[in-house]
Amino acid sequence: MTTRSRGPNADVGLRADGLSAIDPNKLRDDFPILHQEVNGRPLVYLDNAATTQKPRAVIDAISNYYLLNNANVHRGVHTLSQRATDDYEAARESVRRFINAPSADEVIYVRGTTEGLNLVASSYGRKYFSAGDEVIITGMEHHSNIVPWQILGKEIGIKLRVVPFNDDGELLMDEFESILNDRTRMVSVVHQSNALGTINPINAIVELAHARGVPVMVDAAQSVPHMPVDVQGLGADFLAFSGHKLYGPTGIGALWGRAELLNDMPPYQSGGEMIRSVTFEETIYNTLPHKFEAGTPDIAGAIGLGAAIEYLESIGMERIAAYEQALLKYGEERLRGIEGVRLIGSAQEKGGILSFYMDAAHPHDIGTILDAQGIAVRTGHHCAQPVMARYGIPATVRASLAFYNNTDDIDALVKAIDRVIEVFG
Ligand code: PLP
């Protein structure tokens, strides 16, 4: 493992309590990929909102599946198929436990958050929405929580209503209340914004929506990896997240939904696995969760996701959240100390996202200079173009945190920004 010396201002804003919640330097040893140099510098990986790195436990679970147990699930009586099925279903139970869902039957494997949102828009929306109905989203949604509703809107004639947010990136709840009305059929809202870091008040949103009998879908792509998320505590009706942002593999994620809603929804895709019986005249659908899992699933992905969850549980999501909050505060204080850096998103309730803009240089140029120093950040609109439009900027530089980041990583970022200032003035 590569360790770097602390920067000169390493004690700025240091919250000893939060920062000592976990030992990131020890946990980094679980992530082989972090121990390398990029462009001659120790890798500083700060692109965790795009995707997280995978601990050895996840890599081993996937390779063990292929080395020892590879077989299709649910259809075989032979031993390998039974082992694969057991592991695949055990991972579903891990997802259930992790988000405190009442039943594993309510946990549907999907490719990721995007597919979870598409499933609900397509299946629930096509069944229950009609022309003139309205769906409420917020102004800080990822495109995956805008476009599926928009497509449905064009098809059926539903209207998209958007809750605006203030300059700090906080939702205007009064506006939400005022657009919630008798034509509202769904509220679909991001839990933690990937562009701003804002953590939205899901409980309050659910309370207002449910008072009108409106279901709530939560895009939890950025929350589930960074804080304890309890679907029963949130009170929502649907929630989706992605495995690859949760230290698990790509191509797998989960949609949770209330059984009474999922049971009444038509299948999203059709084919094998989602049926109980088929004749040329009629098909009887399988029960939950299989009704929504047509075809051979991503078995290795599900097993890898289960391993990621067990790994996170071994650290504890409360501790991860406390640590990342402290690291965020440290990062914000350090970035605020640099003249010419404008932080985008300073909500009171905020997760580990440091999105910033500099008049001196285009975000892509900043990203290139940071990469030359071994620092991986994301530059662009982060699939949230309406957020960029709200602030009148084309893009931001986004450093996004994980529990394996430390104050040295932030100090390296700050030093590299100094280099940007040197180059661009
Ligand atoms: N929602 C949010 C808030 C995200 O940050 C992302 C990905 O960045 C998504 C949805 C889409 O996730 P995926 O591409 O894994 O489906």
Side-chain angles (χ1 to χ4, degrees):
M1 192 191 133
T2 316
T3 44
R4 287 181 303 280
S5 60
R6 283 194 148 188
N9 298 317
D11 57 347
V12 175
L14 197 138
R15 308 284 194 279
D17 45 349
L19 285 175
S20 59
I22 59 171
D23 180 354
N25 297 329
K26 192 157 167 278
L27 293 170
R28 278 163 103 110
D29 284 342
D30 298 333
F31 293 80
I33 201 171
L34 295 176
H35 301 217
Q36 63 176 296
E37 295 200 340
V38 167
N39 295 323
R41 305 287 181 92
L43 169 65
V44 173
Y45 188 79
L46 290 169
D47 194 18
N48 297 290
T51 200
T52 48
Q53 299 303 345
K54 321 304 172 200
R56 203 180 290 277
V58 168
I59 298 166
D60 287 350
I62 296 168
S63 64
N64 279 343
Y65 164 70
Y66 283 122
L67 285 169
L68 302 170
N69 300 329
N70 177 52
N72 212 330
V73 289
H74 297 145
R75 293 172 213 162
V77 291
H78 66 81
T79 302
L80 290 193
S81 176
Q82 283 173 6
R83 276 195 220 146
T85 304
D86 287 350
D87 290 351
Y88 178 76
E89 291 302 334
R92 196 192 305 274
E93 169 56 21
S94 295
V95 174
R96 184 210 65 73
R97 187 178 65 239
F98 194 57
I99 58 171
N100 193 32
S103 161
D105 290 347
E106 297 178 331
V107 173
I108 318 287
Y109 286 127
V110 286
R111 279 196 301 119
T113 312
T114 302
E115 192 174 40
L117 287 158
N118 274 275
L119 191 159
V120 174
S122 175
S123 170
Y124 186 93
R126 286 215 174 80
K127 173 150 183 183
Y128 293 110
F129 299 169
S130 47
D133 286 347
E134 296 182 359
V135 169
I136 298 181
I137 58 171
T138 77
M140 64 179 88
E141 299 306 324
H142 186 277
H143 296 161
S144 60
N145 197 23
I146 304 174
V147 186
W149 306 110
Q150 226 166 32
I151 290 177
L152 201 63
K154 295 232 162 72
E155 210 177 291
I156 302 180
I158 59 164
K159 193 169 160 193
L160 209 50
R161 307 289 306 266
V162 181
V163 187
F165 56 87
N166 65 20
D167 288 346
D168 287 337
E170 292 165 333
L171 280 187
L172 300 178
M173 289 297 284
D174 289 353
E175 297 275 343
F176 173 57
E177 266 193 88
S178 73
I179 59 176
L180 195 59
N181 68 64
D182 291 344
R183 291 180 305 275
T184 311
R185 292 289 170 269
M186 173 72 73
V187 174
S188 189
V189 55
V190 67
H191 195 180
Q192 178 180 309
S193 158
N194 66 315
L196 301 169
T198 308
I199 299 170
N200 285 315
I202 301 298
N203 285 111
I205 289 169
V206 166
E207 200 177 313
L208 289 165
H210 282 185
R212 287 184 174 267
V214 177
V216 177
M217 161 105 213
V218 178
D219 167 354
Q222 299 292 345
S223 56
V224 164
H226 302 288
M227 64 178 92
V229 170
D230 173 341
V231 294
Q232 297 187 68
L234 288 176
D237 302 279
F238 299 101
L239 179 140
F241 67 91
S242 304
H244 71 99
K245 296 183 196 288
L246 189 74
Y247 312 92
T250 51
I252 190 78
L255 168 71
W256 167 80
R258 286 186 194 281
E260 60 268 32
L261 297 176
L262 292 172
N263 272 323
D264 283 344
M265 285 159 55
Y268 172 54
Q269 293 182 334
S270 50
E273 196 75 9
M274 49 75 67
I275 56 91
R276 176 165 282 166
S277 74
V278 177
T279 65
F280 287 119
E281 288 71 39
E282 198 189 10
T283 293
I284 314 263
Y285 304 140
N286 208 335
T287 49
L288 292 177
H290 311 294
K291 182 173 86 170
F292 291 105
E293 293 180 3
T296 300
D298 183 353
I299 304 163
I303 291 169
L305 173 61
I309 287 173
E310 283 177 18
Y311 176 80
L312 290 171
E313 286 173 333
S314 76
I315 304 169
M317 292 310 294
E318 299 275 2
R319 290 168 68 206
I320 286 174
Y323 176 78
E324 291 182 8
Q325 280 295 318
L327 194 60
L328 171 69
K329 296 285 176 291
Y330 179 81
E332 284 185 330
E333 284 177 39
R334 295 243 36 211
L335 289 183
R336 282 203 181 101
I338 309 174
E339 214 182 304
V341 168
R342 177 179 157 208
L343 270 178
I344 305 293
S346 13
Q348 201 68 25
E349 297 293 324
K350 188 181 159 181
I353 302 280
L354 294 159
S355 234
F356 62 93
Y357 187 75
M358 295 172 75
D359 284 327
H362 190 280
H364 293 313
D365 294 330
I366 300 172
T368 306
I369 291 181
L370 298 192
D371 181 56
Q373 322 279 314
I375 301 173
V377 293
R378 188 136 301 238
T379 61
H381 52 63
H382 318 297
C383 296
Q385 280 181 340
V387 173
M388 302 300 126
R390 164 71 177 71
Y391 288 99
I393 51 178
T396 70
V397 181
R398 183 187 69 188
S400 49
L401 309 176
F403 59 79
Y404 44 59
N405 292 123
N406 57 23
T407 51
D408 289 351
D409 293 340
I410 304 283
D411 294 343
L413 173 68
V414 169
K415 202 165 154 214
I417 295 173
D418 287 343
R419 174 89 192 110
V420 172
I421 294 168
E422 265 169 48
V423 172
F424 289 96

